[in-house]
Amino acid sequence: MSVAVLLCALLWCVPPVPAPASESPSASTEVARLYEEAATATALYEEGRRAARIQKAKVRRLHRLLAKERRHRAVLHGDLGRLAAAQYRSGGGLSYTAQLLLADSPDDLVRGGQLLRQADLAVNSAVAKTQRAAARVTVARGRATRAKRFLDRRNVRLAKLKRDVEEKLETARWTLQGEADRSVAAGKCRGAVRLDQPKTRATRAWVAPVESYELSAGFDSAGDRWAHRHTGQDFAVGIGAPVRAVGKGRVKSVSCGGGFGIEVVVRHAGGYFTQYAHLAAVTVDQGDRVRTGQWLGQVGTTGNSTGPHLHFETRLTPDLGSGVDPRKWLAERGVTL
């Protein structure tokens, strides 16, 4: 690193105006593409896991139902056996002529015979129905089991796809960060990389600067890496993750080389400014108008940074030292971090 660049880093001075946009922004676009692929692969994998869990529960439910039908059939078979024994004890094994001679009256014989036949038919019918129900459940359980096996095999493939994309993304992330580090060390900001913006537009006037995150160092906290107190809110996010404009405005500046590394400052209505720092790449140029949720750049770890994260500030002026608590400022605008 040259003496001039070292002094610039120590003093957080503003570096030269960014160079024209790069003609081959392969690292940025590759990371953006792989982020989208990783999100899709993760969504498919999670959807497959949910479907497999549902199918597994269905198999268990059908197994319990089949066991219940079998128990019911066993009970009915027992009833049929008891009915046959009762018929035998009551003369069911005698000829009709013998039963007629021994009966108290013909009417008693007829009524008894009808009742026995009705009971016999009822039990036989119930057994047949139970057998048919058990057969249907057996077929359904077989289909459900085969469907679960198919889903399990599919999820194994999806898990491998997810791992492969994540590995490629990790490699592309550090390629992007390497390019960013070289440009910062040289004191020459790379131009804006015009990435495809998300298809969905923000429905609110204000949003968080990143979509998925964990909060780390907060406003006004103490730390060894800050001369006084921490001047913004940090979001722990992976390299290459899209950074969004929290509200509509105009890009005040795009710079690199200082303690904030690659950074973007946006002016909003009411005289407020927001800063997005330690980036790996930018997608806007000075003077650009931006809408809420529009991508301004990609997360990195340039400048005075110990790891990938977004340093976000809300300021009363575009300059360091005029910051206000970002969490409170966003909360007043309906955004809870």
Side-chain angles (χ1 to χ4, degrees):
M1 180 181 289
S2 67
V3 175
V5 174
L6 180 59
L7 288 173
C8 185
L10 291 174
L11 297 174
W12 290 2
C13 61
V14 178
V17 176
S22 171
E23 295 181 358
S24 57
S26 57
S28 290
T29 53
E30 180 70 359
V31 168
R33 182 184 68 81
L34 288 170
Y35 253 103
E36 187 174 349
E37 284 190 12
T40 301
T42 300
L44 287 172
Y45 176 65
E46 292 302 324
E47 180 183 350
R49 289 183 64 191
R50 286 194 296 272
R53 287 197 298 269
I54 292 171
Q55 199 65 33
K56 185 177 180 180
K58 183 177 181 180
V59 171
R60 288 198 301 265
R61 186 170 62 253
L62 288 170
H63 182 77
R64 291 193 299 268
L65 182 59
L66 180 59
K68 179 181 178 182
E69 293 292 349
R70 286 172 174 169
R71 288 194 300 271
H72 189 202
R73 188 174 60 185
V75 169
L76 290 172
H77 272 299
D79 290 344
L80 186 58
R82 286 190 292 274
L83 180 60
Q87 284 181 299
Y88 178 77
R89 286 193 300 272
S90 62
L94 298 175
S95 67
Y96 185 75
T97 303
Q99 292 181 43
L100 180 61
L101 292 173
L102 296 173
D104 293 335
S105 70
D107 290 340
D108 289 341
L109 177 62
V110 171
R111 279 196 300 272
Q114 287 176 340
L115 290 174
L116 287 171
R117 282 192 296 275
Q118 288 172 358
D120 195 7
L121 289 172
V123 173
N124 276 325
S125 176
V127 169
K129 287 180 181 179
T130 303
Q131 288 174 330
R132 290 193 296 271
R136 288 194 298 271
V137 174
T138 300
V139 171
R141 188 181 67 164
R143 289 173 180 169
T145 300
R146 288 192 294 273
K148 182 185 176 299
R149 289 172 183 164
F150 169 79
L151 287 171
D152 288 341
R153 290 193 297 269
R154 179 174 178 267
N155 286 344
V156 169
R157 294 193 297 270
L158 286 174
K160 183 179 184 303
L161 172 64
K162 181 173 175 287
R163 287 194 303 271
D164 290 345
V165 173
E166 288 173 347
E167 289 174 2
K168 291 178 182 177
L169 175 58
E170 187 67 11
T171 300
R173 279 170 168 169
W174 289 107
T175 299
L176 173 62
Q177 183 61 41
E179 292 182 359
D181 290 337
R182 286 190 292 273
S183 69
V184 170
K188 295 180 180 179
C189 297
R190 293 181 299 159
V193 178
R194 300 300 182 179
L195 298 177
D196 293 335
Q197 294 291 324
K199 296 180 179 64
T200 55
R201 299 175 65 92
T203 57
R204 295 184 297 167
W206 301 92
V207 296
V210 284
E211 189 169 358
S212 299
Y213 57 86
E214 289 185 10
L215 296 177
S216 49
F219 179 73
D220 205 33
S221 57
D224 294 337
R225 298 188 64 84
W226 310 305
H228 300 288
R229 308 285 287 185
H230 194 232
T231 54
Q233 174 64 58
D234 286 352
F235 296 79
V237 192
I239 292 172
V243 175
R244 311 184 295 184
V246 296
K248 67 179 181 179
R250 186 186 289 272
V251 177
K252 173 68 176 176
S253 65
V254 177
S255 57
C256 67
F260 285 123
I262 300 173
E263 62 171 317
V264 174
V265 176
V266 176
R267 180 186 181 116
H268 304 279
Y272 290 101
F273 297 83
T274 53
Q275 180 216 27
Y276 312 78
H278 303 309
L279 305 179
V282 295
T283 60
V284 291
D285 285 318
Q286 182 174 331
D288 285 356
R289 288 189 177 277
V290 295
R291 67 178 186 274
T292 302
Q294 179 177 331
W295 290 356
L296 303 176
Q298 293 169 291
V299 171
T301 181
T302 54
N304 185 20
S305 171
T306 57
H309 73 285
L310 170 69
H311 175 85
F312 173 73
E313 289 193 21
T314 51
R315 298 173 175 175
L316 302 177
T317 75
D319 303 317
L320 176 66
S322 62
V324 295
D325 189 341
R327 295 186 69 172
K328 290 182 180 178
W329 189 85
L330 285 173
E332 291 170 357
R333 288 154 180 78
V335 180
T336 302
L337 301 180

